[in-house]
């Protein structure tokens, strides 16, 4: 400051608040020339109305000018402060916060959290049920998806398409491959191809299975009514392999001990795998199926279409779960659910509605679609929804399943929470 209250040449007149802000942001305005100072502050403020007075001969005019521009100066610093705050918030939102002492990630975290937060409570809390529940939740949330090969006779009944759509939509399941069985396996594979295409899941491999039964005979079957859904061959992806057994080899060898084979049609492909490639079959985690009717000693369709294949699978020790006809037929998908699918109007929903239309042309034995084939898939990740019994099976030449004490035990369905499974199904299909 010069005598008489004058400022040195090149100085900018700042109010105390501005001076503090200048020191905070380290803007060396006083060291700049008059023109440079004017340009700098104009750029910072974005407002050419802010005037920078640096005249040494008119200190009063300089002071008056800066007092007049104080509102713009305050606005400038507020803009800077708000901008910095927004940048900090955006950065915090983009980066994950570090793990905190109360974050639960595994069973050890559960024990530590219980000890530090709940154990000291007075009056005491019943801790074992809470600990058990928390550990179960942690184990479930960190569980990787269950890998599945889906073996289906899609194209005859609508439940196969519903089940495949369900499997593709569940985060708990990872469909590694789809294979087809029962007669016109090529046409059935074409339906799979189109369904994978319209749902954007062309990453899933598929292949046709054996057109003949395990004993070499040919199953006389009705036409594949839903085949028109497949469209022209040139418009859809081709199979990954010429035959299901080669696709089995590729998937099992890449995921040995991790893949479930879910069979919702005749057990032909599974039986050929077990009979002709036992070492490869041993690489499966297990087999789950929809089939059998031991309570009434009647012929269920999937078992009856290849009884010899079913006997091989039931005797192999690889069959872990069977959803029986008397239990799975309770999972009705009535007309309101079809209308709900129609209103959803997603590619998957439109595909299912079209397949349902083609199925309705021929079917006359059911009140509507029945989600038989959904049940073994749901059991893989939600077994608590099913009541089961351990039971060995034998299959006679007619295709009748009967309990057998000499056969390896199978987890056989005897009941299920129909409402919960139905809700799970429809919530998946209408996302």
């Amino acid at each position: 400051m010069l005598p008489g209250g004058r400022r040195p040449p090149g100085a900018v007149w700042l109010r105390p608040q501005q001076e503090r802000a200048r020191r905070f942001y380290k803007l060396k305005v006083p060291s700049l020339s008059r023109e440079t100072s004017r340009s700098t502050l104009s750029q910072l403020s974005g407002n050419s109305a802010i005037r920078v007075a640096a005249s040494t001969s008119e200190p009063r005019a300089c002071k008056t000018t800066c007092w007049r521009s104080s509102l713009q100066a305050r606005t400038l610093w507020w803009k800077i402060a708000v901008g910095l705050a927004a940048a900090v918030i955006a950065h915090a939102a983009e980066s994950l916060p570090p793990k905190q002492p109360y974050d639960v990630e595994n069973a050890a975290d559960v024990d530590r959290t219980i000890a530090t937060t709940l154990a000291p409570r007075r009056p005491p809390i019943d801790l074992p049920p809470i600990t058990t529940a928390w550990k179960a939740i942690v184990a479930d949330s960190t569980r990787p998806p269950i890998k599945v090969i889906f073996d289906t006779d899609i194209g005859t009944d609508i439940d196969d398409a519903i089940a495949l759509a369900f499997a593709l939509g569940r985060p708990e399941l990872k469909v590694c491959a789809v294979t087809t069985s029962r007669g016109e396996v090529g046409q059935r594979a074409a339906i799979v191809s189109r369904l994978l295409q319209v749902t954007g899941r062309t990453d899933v491999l598929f292949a046709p299975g054996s057109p003949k039964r395990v004993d070499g005979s040919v199953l006389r079957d009705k036409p594949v009514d839903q085949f028109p859904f497949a469209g022209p061959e040139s418009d859809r992806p081709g199979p990954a392999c010429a035959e299901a057994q080669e696709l089995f080899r590729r998937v099992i060898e890449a995921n040995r001990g991790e893949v479930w084979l879910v069979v919702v049609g005749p057990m032909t492909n599974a039986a050929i795998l077990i009979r002709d490639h036992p070492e490869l079959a041993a690489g499966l985690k297990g087999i789950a199926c929809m089939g059998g009717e031991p309570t009434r000693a009647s012929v269920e369709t999937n078992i009856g279409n290849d009884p010899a294949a079913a006997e091989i699978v039931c005797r192999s020790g690889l069959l872990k779960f069977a959803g029986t006809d008397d239990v799975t037929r309770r999972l009705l998908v009535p007309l309101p659910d079809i209308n709900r699918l129609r209103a959803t109007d997603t590619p998957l929903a439109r595909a299912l509605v079209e397949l349902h239309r083609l199925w309705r042309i021929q079917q006359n034995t059911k009140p509507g679609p029945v989600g038989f084939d959904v049940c073994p898939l749901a059991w893989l990740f939600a077994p608590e929804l099913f009541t089961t019994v351990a039971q060995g099976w034998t299959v006679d030449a007619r295709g009748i399943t009967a309990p057998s004490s000499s056969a390896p035990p199978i987890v056989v369905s005897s009941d299920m929470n129909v409402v919960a499974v139905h809700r799970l199904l429809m919530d998946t299909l209408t996302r």
Side-chain angles (χ1 to χ4, degrees), residues 52 54 64 75 78 110 138 266 320 335 382 395:
V52 179
T64 302
T75 304
W78 274 112
V110 170
V138 169
K320 306 299 182 183
L335 185 59
V395 182

Side-chain angles (χ1 to χ4, degrees), residues 355-375:
L355 288 166
H356 174 263
R357 184 189 69 80
L358 295 169
W359 172 75
R360 290 286 294 187
I361 293 173
Q362 298 294 334
Q363 78 86 27
N364 57 7
T365 60
K366 299 185 183 72
V370 179
F372 300 98
D373 296 344
V374 171
C375 295

Side-chain angles (χ1 to χ4, degrees), residues 153-355:
D153 59 345
I154 191 170
T156 299
D157 202 339
I158 188 63
D159 61 324
D160 295 77
I162 291 173
L164 178 54
F166 175 78
L168 294 171
R170 291 308 308 176
E172 301 90 346
L173 301 174
K174 179 181 179 181
V175 181
C176 298
V178 182
T179 54
T180 58
S181 62
R182 185 177 172 179
E184 295 290 346
V185 291
Q187 292 186 5
R188 300 183 193 278
I191 296 172
V192 170
S193 175
R194 177 66 74 193
L195 189 57
L196 294 175
Q197 183 184 47
V198 299
T199 55
R201 293 301 307 273
T202 53
D203 59 304
V204 178
L205 307 176
F206 71 94
S210 173
K212 297 181 179 181
R213 293 190 285 191
V214 74
D215 60 3
S217 62
V218 177
L219 175 67
R220 293 188 178 183
D221 199 10
K222 59 184 180 181
V224 181
D225 303 322
Q226 298 161 50
F227 178 62
F229 170 78
E233 184 177 0
S234 59
D235 292 345
R236 49 182 158 79
C241 303
E243 213 277 327
Q245 298 303 317
E246 179 57 31
L247 186 54
F248 285 164
R249 179 175 299 280
R250 286 175 57 178
V251 175
I252 295 172
E253 288 181 347
N255 305 274
R256 197 165 188 85
E258 300 177 358
V259 184
W260 283 87
L261 177 57
V262 178
V263 182
V264 295
M267 295 189 179
T268 308
N269 294 326
I272 294 173
L273 175 67
I274 293 168
R275 183 193 65 187
D276 298 347
H277 314 285
E279 293 183 359
L280 189 63
L284 289 170
K285 192 168 185 178
I287 298 175
C289 78
M290 184 277 134
E293 178 70 290
T295 57
R296 294 191 301 132
S298 63
V299 179
E300 184 274 326
T301 302
N302 287 343
I303 302 294
N305 281 333
D306 198 341
E311 174 69 4
I312 291 173
V313 174
C314 289
R315 293 284 181 177
S316 68
L318 290 172
L319 184 59
K320 306 299 182 183
F321 173 80
T324 57
D325 182 88
D326 59 324
V327 173
T328 59
R329 71 168 47 251
R330 303 173 197 175
L331 189 59
L332 182 66
V333 183
L335 185 59
D337 288 334
I338 301 301
N339 292 334
R340 183 179 168 189
L341 275 174
R342 189 174 286 110
T344 302
D345 198 32
T346 61
L348 172 61
R350 289 194 294 270
L352 290 178
V353 169
E354 174 62 14
L355 288 166

